[in-house]
């Protein structure tokens, strides 16, 4: 993120050569994955900080999003440092219908600054009609969050701000989106991620458009800010955020914030902002129990029948299997389900249990082997003969840096933890440090065969948990 912010005023650096991006994807993900899922992606258009690609179904889009998007983004960053996200168009080849109502063709980002600014806000203010209250399934772990979200949609500013927190893939963005969706007819709704807020702030500052920026935010009736934990801006930005926040509260606008942790655990955010958050209603979403997981899968199956009557039925056996095995997050659960659906479409049959195991192998391994960051650290420390304290210390001696980077790299490869989560497990390092480590080790593996072999053997030790055999 830091890089993006610093380079945000640079023009396009290099045109993306899609053919070679595909070659890299094939190499990185392997033939099978590439052939099944990634080959048909088409590059539609590229802009300064995002690109537009097309896929043929929503399921493939969701699946790519849940499994590969981070890595594809990394590949693209080699071409264009400024890229911060990938947007999808779902294009049904049969009737050429474009599902997402993106008017990308008309968008001229080289217009004068004002409309550029406006366009780019709008660009990130898109609310997904497919994530609403009706298809949010509730259970004991998310009921309070759901009810609080409904309440603010019916009775604006009753709980203000509303602060939702919970782990990755638990449904926070879905709830924020649902609130936005239900209020956008009658109110000015602004739905933005904290990263995006920072980005726009810096950009507006550079292009002398702070007045527009302020006006834009202060005119909203409903401000939804997703993933506030990524807010790590400079004082000036936090200052602006604080004032916007207060101005909105004063005029009775509703503010809804999501985060991966409670307000008091937010790093790099001013105390007074945190206490503002804590002053509203704070609700958490916890890990889903079996029943909720199963109900989500059932509701996804019903949804599918409704929208695609010809779709092959996913058997109850498979539904139960997925709900039992995929426990880490709802995102993974939905991702697994989508993969089964895609399989059934491609092969025109429901996968058997053993086929399901193969299709979901990577997801199942993760929960079965219980690879934790702690285990990775233990094994890597032993291997490099350093102590865990040394690994987690801020010291940057050469003999510590490499093992640390290796452990971070393996944590990214072998667990489903997000970049910030990994950073946190390494004494609260920033997620940019995690990205840097992953990149460095990725590069070194190509250059240094010995290291490459070592990493493979570490990987096996971790996967098969042979801690004692080192
Ligand atoms: P978060 O923002 O907490 O990381 P998301 O809101 O992006 O998680 O949810 C991940 C995926 O799981 C999305 O596809 C979302 O629609 C789905 N999902 C999460 N919770 C539920 C739920 N309770 N019912 C139905 N779908 C859900
Ligand atoms: Mg989210």
């Amino acid at each position: 993120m830091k890089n993006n912010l610093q380079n945000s005023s640079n023009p396009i650096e290099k045109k993306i050569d899609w053919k070679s991006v595909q070659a890299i994807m094939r190499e990185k993900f392997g033939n099978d994955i590439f052939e099944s899922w990634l080959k048909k992606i088409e590059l539609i258009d590229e802009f300064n900080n995002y690109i537009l690609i097309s896929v043929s179904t929503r399921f493939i889009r969701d699946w790519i999003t849940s499994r590969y998007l981070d890595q594809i983004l990394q590949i693209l960053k080699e071409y264009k440092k400024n890229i911060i996200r990938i947007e999808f168009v779902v294009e049904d080849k049969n009737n050429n219908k474009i599902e997402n109502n993106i008017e990308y063709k008309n968008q001229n980002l080289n217009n004068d600054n004002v409309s550029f600014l406006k366009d780019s806000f709008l660009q990130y203010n898109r609310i997904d009609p497919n994530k609403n209250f009706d298809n949010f399934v509730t259970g004991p772990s998310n009921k309070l969050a759901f009810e609080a979200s409904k309440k603010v949609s019916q009775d604006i500013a009753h709980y203000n701000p509303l602060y939702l927190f919970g782990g990755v893939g638990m449904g926070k963005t879905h709830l924020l989106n649902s609130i936005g969706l239900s209020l956008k007819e009658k109110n000015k709704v602004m739905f933005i991620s904290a990263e995006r807020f920072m980005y726009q702030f810096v950009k507006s500052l550079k292009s002398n458009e702070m007045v527009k920026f302020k006006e834009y935010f202060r005119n909203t009736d409903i401000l939804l800010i997703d993933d506030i934990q990524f807010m790590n801006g400079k004082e000036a930005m936090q200052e602006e955020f604080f004032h916007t926040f207060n101005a909105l509260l004063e005029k009775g606008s509703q503010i809804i914030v999501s985060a991966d942790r409670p307000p008091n655990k937010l790093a790099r955010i001013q105390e007074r902002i945190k206490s503002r958050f804590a002053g509203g209603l704070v609700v958490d979403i916890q890990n889903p129990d079996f029943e909720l997981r199963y109900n989500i899968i059932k509701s996804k199956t019903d949804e599918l029948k409704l929208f695609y009557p010809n779709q092959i039925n996913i058997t109850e056996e498979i539904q139960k299997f997925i709900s039992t095995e995929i426990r880490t997050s709802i995102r993974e659960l939905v991702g697994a389900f989508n993969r089964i659906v895609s399989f059934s479409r491609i092969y025109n049959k429901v996968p058997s249990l053993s086929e399901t195991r193969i299709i979901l192998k990577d997801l199942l391994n993760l929960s079965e082997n219980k690879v934790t960051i702690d285990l990775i650290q233990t094994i890597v420390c032993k291997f490099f003969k350093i102590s865990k304290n040394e690994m987690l210390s801020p010291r940057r001696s050469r003999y510590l840096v490499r093992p640390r980077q290796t452990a971070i790299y393996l944590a990214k490869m072998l667990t489903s933890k997000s970049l910030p989560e990994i950073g946190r497990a390494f004494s609260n390092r920033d997620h940019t440090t995690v990205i840097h480590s992953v990149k460095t080790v990725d590069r070194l593996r190509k250059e240094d065969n010995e290291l490459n072999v070592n990493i493979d053997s570490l990987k096996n030790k971790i996967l098969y948990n042979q801690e004692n055999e080192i």
Side-chain angles (χ1 to χ4, degrees), residues 133 147-158 179 182-183 254:
F133 285 130
E147 271 163 10
S149 303
K150 277 222 117 152
K151 179 79 183 159
V152 300
S153 310
Q154 284 150 5
D155 201 352
I156 292 172
H158 186 77
I179 298 173
S182 74
L183 290 174
Q254 175 72 48

Side-chain angles (χ1 to χ4, degrees), residues 79-170:
Y79 290 87
K80 283 177 152 191
K81 286 209 184 60
N82 288 348
I83 282 200
I84 52 168
R85 68 189 273 162
I86 298 172
E87 300 269 347
F88 284 88
V89 183
V90 179
E91 216 163 1
D92 182 348
K93 285 277 183 274
N94 296 329
N95 56 11
N96 279 331
K97 193 184 93 204
I98 293 181
E99 274 185 17
N100 292 16
N101 39 6
I102 308 173
E103 290 171 35
Y104 60 92
K105 289 263 154 62
N106 302 330
Q107 213 169 35
N108 181 0
L109 295 188
N110 296 325
N111 267 345
D112 65 1
N113 281 332
V114 176
S115 76
F116 174 60
L117 181 77
K118 235 175 126 201
D119 277 352
S120 53
F121 280 147
L122 290 176
Q123 193 58 43
Y124 288 88
N125 200 16
R126 201 179 308 122
I127 294 177
D128 183 348
N130 299 314
K131 294 195 163 114
N132 48 50
F133 285 130
D134 291 338
N135 64 11
F136 189 86
V137 185
T138 57
S141 54
N142 62 13
K143 199 158 182 58
L144 274 180
F146 175 78
E147 271 163 10
S149 303
K150 277 222 117 152
K151 179 79 183 159
V152 300
S153 310
Q154 284 150 5
D155 201 352
I156 292 172
H158 186 77
Y159 300 127
N160 215 1
L162 169 63
Y163 184 101
L164 301 177
F165 75 94
V168 177
M170 293 300 168

Side-chain angles (χ1 to χ4, degrees), residues 391-404:
M391 168 164 285
L392 299 179
S393 75
R395 289 169 52 203
R396 304 201 33 86
S397 323
R398 217 182 139 69
Y399 81 105
L400 296 178
V401 170
R402 194 67 78 230
R404 192 180 291 138

